Amino acid sequence: MPAPGTRPYNFSAGPAAMPEAVLRRAAAEMLDWQGSGMSVMEMSHRGKEFGVILAQAESDLRTLLAVPDQFHILFMQGGGLGENAIVPLNLSRGGAADFVITGSWSIKSHKEAQRYCAARIAASNAADGHLSLPDPAGWQIGADAAYVHLCSNETINGIEFQQLPDLAALGSKAPLVIDFSSHVASRPVDWARVGLAFGGAQKNLGPAGLTIVVVRDDLLGHALEICPSAFNYKIVADNRSMYNTPPTWGIYMAGLTFQWLREQTEGALTGVEAMAQRNIAKARLLYDFIDGSDFYLNKVAADCRSRMNVPFFLADESRNDAFLAGARAADLLQLKGHKSVGGMRASIYNAMPLEGVQALVNYMREFERSHA
Ligand SMILES: *Cc1c(COP(=O)(O)O)cnc(C)c1O
């Protein structure tokens, strides 16, 4: 095993870096979970040991995200893309839903929902290349919308809602559905404005294969007849995520991450509030460096830049390969941008310490100095 604190900094967009303390704890418990004689992977999901793990994970997540009592927490499979179908199957009632298009993931959500309901576009930032957020005051939300969907952090485009829209104030009674896959637990959620939130675990919580759904009580029980039972939110909620075998290992790993998050502090702040402070500091360090250099650039409007995913470009793109090779040699991994955007992308999720962002900025400064 590598000595503590010596692993490379990993900027993958997902599956992404996990807190080292979580990986070490899982390694220590791998062959024998707390004297049970079993790995968590080998346990019956209905046994008392896994029951403890599941209950603890759910209660820690509820505490961390301050999830109100009228919301259910569901541990599912299928990922974010699975939810693009599962949400309309459960919420659309075969009617209409309105989508706010802000980048790659909301485009995918809208497209998939068309298979199950009248999926309309309430607003889009396509005209400006997905570099700013459309003002909620201009969104076209139908009176008959069963729900309004948005992606609260566009992982690929690097744009994030700094606050969620208040649909009621916009004159809509529709519940807001958010895809928070890539910034869940990086900042508090304003649940008063949300009906349902979903996210794959593999960006900010745990390994791939676990999907978190937080859904308000009144949205259960309206699934279309064709909705698979294992994806029917009411059935999953009634069975406390145990209608079928849940992704036990993913729940365990995410549970360890929840415990780690609860222990984090920044001054007087703890948990997600502490992470939000740390994430603001990390993002500021990187964006300020990029903005202060002519060698690098980020094109996203300043008021909606993502704290989690920072796409950036070298002014001279012929140096991209050299930049990436030098980064790897400096133990800075997985900085290549998404193929649809190009350039570079640094994903700086909760598990990335400030020191990791500092190391990236130091490398970028040195690369600029030796290539300018
Ligand atoms: C990664 C991601 C997804 C896709 O999740 P899968 O688990 O691959 O289905 C969906 N939405 C957002 C915002 C993402 O970042």
Side-chain angles (χ1 to χ4, degrees), residues 78-82 105 151 153 155 179 181-182 202-203:
L81 292 190
W105 291 114
C151 177
N153 183 62
T155 323
D179 174 356
S181 295
S182 52
Q202 71 271 25
K203 312 289 165 61

Side-chain angles (χ1 to χ4, degrees), residues 1-55:
M1 244 194 244
T6 62
R7 301 170 74 227
Y9 291 115
N10 181 349
F11 296 89
S12 173
M18 302 271 296
E20 184 171 317
V22 167
L23 295 176
R24 288 187 184 278
R25 168 117 181 244
E29 295 181 339
M30 175 66 80
L31 299 191
D32 180 7
W33 183 78
Q34 301 193 3
S36 66
M38 299 177 278
S39 171
V40 173
M41 272 182 274
E42 304 172 307
M43 289 174 183
S44 165
H45 59 297
R46 308 214 181 265
K48 73 173 188 319
E49 293 87 354
F50 187 72
V52 169
I53 292 170
L54 179 70

Side-chain angles (χ1 to χ4, degrees), residues 101-107 124-134 154 156-159 298-301 304 311 313 340-342:
I101 302 295
T102 53
S104 302
W105 291 114
S106 46
I107 288 171
S124 170
N125 65 356
D128 84 351
H130 308 303
L131 294 172
S132 67
L133 287 175
E154 287 277 7
I156 292 174
N157 308 86
I159 100 176
N298 169 283
K299 303 175 185 174
V300 177
C304 57
F313 298 87
S340 67
V341 172

Side-chain angles (χ1 to χ4, degrees), residues 142-163:
D144 59 343
Y147 65 94
V148 174
H149 175 113
L150 62 82
C151 177
S152 44
N153 183 62
E154 287 277 7
T155 323
I156 292 174
N157 308 86
I159 100 176
E160 180 172 17
F161 281 83
Q162 301 304 335
Q163 58 182 35

Side-chain angles (χ1 to χ4, degrees), residues 70-236:
Q70 74 269 31
F71 285 77
H72 299 264
I73 293 175
L74 312 181
F75 295 114
M76 299 181 67
Q77 305 191 48
L81 292 190
E83 290 302 322
N84 284 346
I86 296 168
V87 170
L89 280 164
N90 279 275
L91 265 52
S92 74
R93 310 185 195 199
D98 288 323
F99 288 74
V100 180
I101 302 295
T102 53
S104 302
W105 291 114
S106 46
I107 288 171
K108 282 200 165 79
S109 299
H110 171 250
K111 188 153 183 262
E112 182 72 4
Q114 287 171 342
R115 302 162 66 112
Y116 306 104
C117 67
R120 303 178 301 214
I121 294 182
S124 170
N125 65 356
D128 84 351
H130 308 303
L131 294 172
S132 67
L133 287 175
D135 180 357
W139 296 1
Q140 303 293 310
I141 301 172
D144 59 343
Y147 65 94
V148 174
H149 175 113
L150 62 82
C151 177
S152 44
N153 183 62
E154 287 277 7
T155 323
I156 292 174
N157 308 86
I159 100 176
E160 180 172 17
F161 281 83
Q162 301 304 335
Q163 58 182 35
L164 294 174
D166 181 354
L167 294 188
L170 297 173
S172 171
K173 293 193 180 63
L176 180 67
V177 171
I178 63 170
D179 174 356
F180 66 172
S181 295
S182 52
H183 71 165
V184 55
S186 71
R187 59 192 299 153
V189 177
D190 186 353
W191 293 108
R193 297 185 172 185
V194 173
L196 183 148
F198 70 80
Q202 71 271 25
K203 312 289 165 61
N204 223 351
L205 300 178
L210 167 66
T211 314
I212 306 278
V213 176
V214 183
V215 54
R216 213 173 54 207
D217 216 3
D218 59 291
L219 301 177
L220 301 181
H222 309 294
L224 300 179
E225 195 52 46
I226 57 163
C227 179
S229 305
F231 293 151
N232 181 316
Y233 293 139
K234 176 153 174 50
I235 293 176
V236 178

